[in-house]
Structure formats: structure tokens, C-alpha cells
Amino acid sequence: MDGLLDRAVHLLSAFDDDGAPLTPTELAARAGLATSTAHRIATDLERLGLLARTASGGYVPGTTLWALGERAPVATRLREAALPHLRRLHELTGAQAHVTVLDPAAEGASRLRCVVRVRGGDPADATGAEREPAVGSDAALSAVAVALGLTGPAGARATELALVRADDGTLGLAAPVPEVDGLPAAAVGLVVGPADDADATARRAGPLVVAASVAVARDLSADDGAGGAQLVVSAGGPTG
């Protein structure tokens, strides 16, 4: 039987990547807990700032939780290395770009955690939430799962690019970041919303996603060097 801390973590892990509010009933269901148990734990988490309530009574991740996550060395390193390449991907394609990692300690869909995304001019710019699909969409997560070898033929890790189309027409592209010592498996991804030119956008973006994944790994590997690698994706591929 899960202890109190386990159940608290289940509650905190119940949210989608965009942190959209969950009703108390939804939160309990996603965490696999009785409503009364979830309410009792959520009340303590809210008091500690790990959860917060909206005006309508829904739960959202609290500011304390975000602050703690920002301090994780893995998140900081990946975010700093990935941001210039994700911004460039977004500029070139107009699609939402992200880096998602595999959490070996988690189970199910929660194993995949978005570290950083660019869906407007800035990382995780909330103004893009209604215009573009969320990183937590079926296409995005499925593409990352294939790229990291969680699904697909014989569980083999994709060598370059995974492309998945969801039932709503959304396209997810993902390329595994080459292995870097001390960091979890990760992938650079792109989410192309349903549109008449989605296939053309995906064909054009595929090589850019692959180039960005290589660039992120190169920058991470150069963390201890002088200034790091200056490799940024351009329309013609990687330059630097």
C-alpha cells in the first residue's frame, strides 16, 4: 500500500503538461485515490504552496512546486541548452517545439516529462495555449515514446526521427537527443496542428528537428568547455 508521500506525489503528477485546472474529482481519479483521501492530502499540499485553487475551485500546480522544479540541475541544463534551438524551430515552422525527458522512476504516461517548450515568442508562453496543440497531446507523446524506444518495433530506439499522426490530424515529430553522461534519455519534439499543409510542414521540419536534437546534445556536452558549442538550427540545417 502506498504511503502518504507516495499518494501526495500521485496527486502532484496528475496534471497535464500545460497545468490545466483539475476538479477535486478529476484530481482524485487521476491519482487513483478516494475523493476523501485526495481532498485531505490536497488541502495540506495547498497549505504548503505545492497546489493552488482557482476561482472556480479547481486545483493547479502551486508556485512552490514550480520553484522547486526550476532548481533541478537536470531541468536547468536541458532548458539552457535547448532554448535557442527550440526558439529557432518555432521561428522556422510556426509549430510548438519542446524537449521531453524520460523519468525512469515514474510509470505509464507520467514517465514522459516536458522540460521546456516554446509555443509563442517565449518558453511556455501561455498566450499560445489556445492556438496550438499541447505538448501533452497524443501525437506529441506518442512521437516521443517511439523516439525513445518505449513503443515501436521491438522497442528499438529511433535512430533519427519519429512521426505520429493523431486521430484529430495533429502531427507529432520527435528525434532522440544523443546520449549525454549524467542526463536522462530525452527527445526534441515538434507538434504540428491539423491543417491543409501539415504534411508539407512536417516534411520540411523533420531534418530541423533531427539537427536540433544533435545541437542540444553538443551544447550539453560542451557545458564544461569554454562558452559551449554555438550550434543553432537554420533553414538549411545545423550551422556553427
Side-chain angles (χ1 to χ4, degrees):
M1 179 179 294
D2 287 343
L4 179 60
L5 184 57
D6 296 285
R7 285 176 281 178
V9 171
H10 291 328
L11 285 174
L12 295 174
S13 302
F15 297 93
D16 292 327
D17 286 332
D18 59 2
L22 296 176
T23 67
T25 301
E26 291 171 335
L27 185 63
R30 289 195 179 191
L33 299 174
T35 303
S36 59
T37 300
H39 174 73
R40 184 173 64 254
I41 299 173
T43 298
D44 286 337
L45 294 174
E46 182 183 1
R47 175 176 56 82
L48 295 170
L50 297 171
L51 287 179
R53 298 295 289 269
T54 65
S56 61
Y59 284 102
V60 293
T63 55
T64 299
L65 184 62
W66 290 119
L68 291 173
E70 290 290 314
R71 298 173 190 170
V74 167
T76 300
R77 287 185 64 195
L78 278 173
R79 190 162 44 246
E80 290 178 352
L83 266 177
H85 309 297
L86 297 185
R87 285 181 174 132
R88 187 60 175 156
L89 274 176
H90 177 76
E91 290 172 1
L92 292 171
T93 65
Q96 180 182 163
H98 64 94
V99 167
T100 297
V101 301
L102 173 64
D103 182 352
E107 298 180 357
S110 62
R111 288 183 296 175
L112 298 177
R113 300 182 182 275
C114 178
V115 173
V116 60
R117 62 181 176 267
V118 173
R119 55 185 179 189
D122 298 313
D125 180 3
T127 60
E130 294 183 359
R131 295 197 305 271
E132 299 171 329
V135 167
S137 69
D138 289 342
L141 291 179
S142 296
V144 172
V146 173
L148 297 183
L150 301 180
T151 59
R157 187 170 178 179
T159 56
E160 285 193 348
L161 183 71
L163 190 153
V164 174
R165 185 191 302 273
D167 292 339
D168 64 358
T170 300
L171 291 174
L173 296 83
V177 175
E179 293 183 9
V180 177
D181 288 343
L183 292 174
V188 171
L190 203 67
V191 188
V192 181
D196 292 339
D197 62 347
D199 288 333
T201 299
R203 285 194 297 270
R204 185 175 72 253
L208 302 178
V209 174
V210 174
S213 69
V214 174
V216 170
R218 188 168 301 180
D219 285 358
L220 286 168
S221 298
D223 274 351
D224 295 329
Q230 299 300 313
L231 181 65
V232 176
V233 177
S234 69
T239 62

